[in-house]
């Protein structure tokens, strides 16, 4: 009994294996089909994972020479970021050292340093807001978006150092321009003072600006006070730069403190008003989208206006201004309270601008308007929708 029990145990183990294998082999065909899909499904799954990868590689078109060139330039730019940072630091240090040496030399000669570099007066905040409407990225290529970013940067720089400082706002801060400021420019705009970046639209910016101007608007200058005391009526020009078939809707009361600047507006801006937000369309598109800023504001029941360039300036080229030029002109008006002086101090000399005689003796032929409208040459970074179209009369 003792000798046979181990033999039975020894035999039982392999017999169980044989029995399980044989039982599986003797299953009906229907049962066999249930055991095989594990391998089939695994094979199908691995095949389905391999096919898209192979198809993606096959579908991807080869990169053009220009695309490869741009990629190499971008990589070179990224690789040289640390070297450029180091170079800028060395230049700043050398500049400081040179200024210290010059200052020491002048002091040794008995020169009063305070008379050579008088301090500029501190900027004065005023209750005027300027809003950049950046909701037009779908109409611009990458180069134009980069140009818009440079214009906003220059506008901030000018507003920071000007005599009278406005409140700056940037709306629709949630697209490619915001990505560029974050990824390429290292979020330096987060350290800027006196400017707010909002993900909402320009109306939301205007509402926030309205509240901010009530609580922390700044000083009411003489020029802005005269805009209240000598209020100029909002009169439509005789000539409509962009006639539309539907009637002009009345401005909405809740948006009465918003003015959208557009070259296609039938109204001319006479003075800047306090506690008002002026919207500039962030669109650099070489005038491909005709009147898009004006139509947007018109549809929303918002007042529109254009700068009075034709009233004050005689131009040898098209009256197309970059966004930062519009901001600078408005800042200069706050300082001079004169559009002619503001235009003359800001408009680039390459445009050949001259101050117009207010008696109308330098009027140009109206027949040149259409011809200049069709000129293809236009410098990068210029925006048709923020200035005024070419034309000698105030209606242009």
């Amino acid at each position: 009994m003792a000798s046979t029990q181990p033999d039975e145990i020894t035999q039982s183990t392999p017999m169980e294996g044989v029995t399980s294998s044989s039982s599986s082999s003797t299953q009906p065909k229907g049962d066999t089909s249930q055991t095989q899909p594990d391998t089939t499904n695994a094979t199908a799954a691995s095949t389905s994972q391999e096919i898209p990868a192979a198809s993606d590689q096959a579908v991807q078109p080869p990169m053009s020479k220009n695309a490869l060139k741009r990629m190499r330039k971008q990589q070179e730019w990224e690789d040289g970021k640390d070297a450029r940072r180091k170079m800028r630091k060395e230049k700043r240090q050398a500049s400081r050292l040179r200024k210290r040496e010059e200052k020491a030399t002048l002091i040794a000669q008995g020169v009063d340093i305070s008379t050579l570099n008088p301090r500029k007066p501190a900027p004065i905040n005023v209750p005027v807001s300027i809003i950049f409407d950046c909701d037009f990225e779908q109409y611009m290529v990458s180069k134009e978006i980069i140009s818009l970013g440079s214009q906003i940067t220059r506008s901030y720089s000018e507003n920071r150092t000007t005599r009278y400082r406005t409140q700056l706002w940037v709306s629709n801060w949630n697209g490619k321009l915001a990505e560029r400021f974050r990824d390429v420019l290292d979020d330096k705009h987060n350290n800027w003072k006196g400017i707010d970046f909002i993900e909402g639209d320009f109306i939301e910016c205007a509402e926030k600006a309205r509240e901010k101007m009530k609580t922390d608007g700044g000083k009411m200058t003489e020029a802005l006070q005269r805009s209240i005391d000598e209020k100029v009526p909002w009169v439509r020009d005789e000539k409509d730069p962009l006639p539309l078939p539907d009637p002009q809707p009345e401005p909405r009361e809740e948006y009465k403190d918003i003015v959208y600047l557009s070259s296609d507006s039938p109204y001319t801006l006479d003075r800047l008003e306090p506690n008002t937000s002026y919207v500039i369309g962030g669109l650099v598109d070489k005038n491909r989208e005709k009147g898009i800023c004006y139509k947007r504001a018109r549809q929303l029941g918002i007042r529109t206006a254009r700068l009075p360039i034709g009233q004050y300036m005689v131009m040898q080229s098209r009256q197309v201004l970059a966004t930062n030029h519009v901001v600078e002109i408005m800042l200069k008006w706050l300082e001079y309270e004169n559009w002619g002086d503001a235009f003359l101090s800001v408009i680039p000399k390459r445009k050949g601008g001259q101050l117009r005689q207010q008696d109308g003796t330098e009027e140009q032929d109206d027949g040149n308007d259409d011809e200049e409208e069709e000129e293809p040459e236009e410098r990068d970074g210029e925006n048709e929708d923020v200035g005024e179209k070419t034309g000698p009369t105030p209606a242009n």
Side-chain angles (χ1 to χ4, degrees), residues 62 82 127 144 168 213-214 219 252 299 321 349 353 374 381:
D82 293 337
E144 293 166 341
L168 297 182
M213 285 186 288
K214 287 180 181 178
K219 180 181 178 181
R252 296 171 61 175
Q299 184 179 8
L321 299 178
K349 294 182 179 180
E374 297 174 356

Side-chain angles (χ1 to χ4, degrees), residues 98-111 113:
R98 185 180 66 254
K99 289 180 179 179
R100 283 197 296 266
E101 292 175 351
E102 293 175 352
K103 184 177 179 180
T105 302
L106 292 174
I107 292 175
Q109 296 174 355
V111 178
I113 302 298

Side-chain angles (χ1 to χ4, degrees), residues 183-202:
D183 300 336
V184 180
L185 304 180
D186 299 329
D187 272 336
K188 290 184 174 63
H189 66 286
N190 290 333
N191 299 323
W192 294 359
K193 307 298 182 183
I195 183 171
D196 292 276
F197 298 84
I198 307 297
E199 292 187 2
D201 60 10
F202 72 91

Side-chain angles (χ1 to χ4, degrees), residues 361-375:
T361 56
E362 294 186 17
E363 292 287 334
Q364 292 178 326
D365 186 11
D366 287 343
N368 291 334
D369 290 0
D370 295 338
E371 182 178 341
E372 293 187 7
E373 280 290 325
E374 297 174 356
E375 286 184 1

